[in-house]
Amino acid sequence: MKPLKLFRKMIMATSLAFIIFVSGGEAEAVDYYSAIYQTVNRYNGNEVECDWITRAILYASSEYQVDPILITAIMEAESNFNFHATSPVGAIGLMQLMPSTAAGLGVNPHNPLENIIGGTIYIKNQLGRFKDWGAYSVTDAVAAYNAGPGAVEKHGGVPNYSETVHYVIKVANNYKNLLALIQA
């Protein structure tokens, strides 16, 4: 690997790992609601939908023991909180689940709550899969959410795919912005 590419990869991985691990990913529950709601509201001005998405994220987080700020950061990167988001490759909904992934998780990707639950389960599975990979395990799990776990395993970490590199950086920045709202 070229030194510049290796350096870029290390910076990107360090930023997400630092943000998530140094913060401890913890805050009071009331802060979570406000930070998530404010973030969703930047993209979707419908108060009822913003409240619903916020509560669905908090429900999935609690039910599956995944950091709600991480779920929110991923959802923001995936769909900007658009219920009807689709991708050119066929990903569906708020968490942009591929139909085959959704089927494997036993959820309907067209149902918004099941989509959020499916995305939460999927990132939880990736966090579990890469938990022993060291300081950058969360970064690798986020990369796997985008590129697939096989690509992360094949490359021994975040694959040097432009889309995945930018995705991991975007999720890290989203996470950092959410933490700033909580800590304000």
Side-chain angles (χ1 to χ4, degrees):
M1 182 177 294
K2 294 181 180 178
L4 181 59
K5 287 183 181 179
L6 179 60
F7 177 74
R8 185 175 80 180
K9 200 173 194 181
M10 287 172 41
I11 293 296
M12 177 229 358
T14 303
S15 67
L16 184 59
F18 176 79
I19 290 167
I20 291 176
F21 289 114
V22 169
S23 72
E26 298 190 19
E28 294 179 27
V30 68
D31 293 334
Y32 283 137
Y33 180 89
S34 297
I36 294 167
Y37 184 93
Q38 287 177 41
T39 302
V40 175
N41 193 47
R42 280 199 310 256
Y43 298 93
N44 179 342
N46 181 312
E47 291 179 17
V48 172
E49 289 182 4
C50 292
D51 179 67
W52 186 92
I53 292 169
T54 301
R55 291 180 188 281
I57 290 168
L58 292 171
Y59 167 77
S61 167
S62 175
E63 189 71 21
Y64 296 97
Q65 299 300 297
V66 176
D67 178 2
I69 300 303
L70 181 59
I71 296 168
T72 306
I74 289 170
M75 190 184 300
E76 183 178 5
E78 290 290 345
S79 70
N80 291 331
F81 310 104
N82 178 352
F83 283 96
H84 307 291
T86 58
S87 77
V89 296
I92 300 165
L94 292 160
M95 296 294 282
Q96 288 292 279
L97 295 178
M98 293 298 290
S100 60
T101 301
L105 296 168
V107 298
N108 175 356
H110 297 284
N111 176 303
L113 182 57
E114 289 187 38
N115 190 284
I116 293 170
I117 289 170
T120 300
I121 293 168
Y122 191 69
I123 190 61
K124 180 182 176 99
N125 291 347
Q126 301 319 308
L127 290 165
R129 186 175 194 150
F130 295 102
K131 72 178 171 30
D132 295 328
W133 280 43
Y136 306 117
S137 62
V138 174
T139 303
D140 294 330
V142 170
Y145 194 97
N146 176 263
V152 173
E153 289 170 346
K154 176 182 173 186
H155 292 271
V158 177
N160 197 21
Y161 307 155
S162 178
E163 177 187 335
T164 303
V165 169
H166 288 105
Y167 177 81
V168 172
I169 292 168
K170 186 174 187 177
V171 171
N173 287 334
N174 294 347
Y175 195 98
K176 183 177 88 172
N177 293 337
L178 282 152
L179 281 181
L181 289 173
I182 288 171
Q183 296 168 350

